[in-house]
Amino acid sequence: DFVIVMVHWGKEYHRHNSYQRKLAKALKKAGADLVIGAHPHVLQKTQRLGKTLVAYSQGNFLFDQKCKGCRDSCILMVDLEKGKRLRWKAVPVSLNSGRPEPFDSANAQTRRIKKALAK
């Protein structure tokens, strides 16, 4: 069994904050394997806390906000296998057309999205 927690947190249009980091650590301590956050409408960092993966925010998916930072998003692909370390990758997508469209891996926007996930 795996414990996956979905959290509505963070300040809209901003990077992850100290409250999110504190709550992520508490969720890890409580046994969460994966924490997926939503609400900020922009990409936020994805990181490991020990064995726990925390995706603070994946941005928007099907949302038509006009702000530039709200158009970068990603699909989080996670492999869960008992007894093995959780594996993950982010598939960058753009919402410029009003629907998620995957990017070519060499695209400048893809590099920007991957950089945002590491901040």
Side-chain angles (χ1 to χ4, degrees), residues 13-71:
Y13 318 115
H14 290 85
R15 288 186 180 175
H16 68 291
N17 59 43
S18 60
Y19 174 76
Q20 288 170 276
R21 289 189 297 273
K22 183 177 177 180
L23 183 55
K25 288 176 184 174
L27 291 168
K28 171 195 172 271
K29 188 175 180 180
D33 296 294
L34 175 60
V35 177
I36 302 173
H39 175 71
H41 300 286
V42 294
L43 284 172
Q44 293 182 340
K45 181 179 184 169
T46 298
Q47 74 174 149
R48 287 191 187 274
L49 296 177
K51 294 181 181 179
T52 302
L53 179 67
V54 180
Y56 289 97
S57 174
Q58 301 305 291
N60 287 319
F61 192 65
L62 293 173
F63 214 76
D64 62 351
Q65 288 182 311
K66 303 297 182 202
C67 70
K68 185 177 180 180
C70 297
R71 293 184 193 142

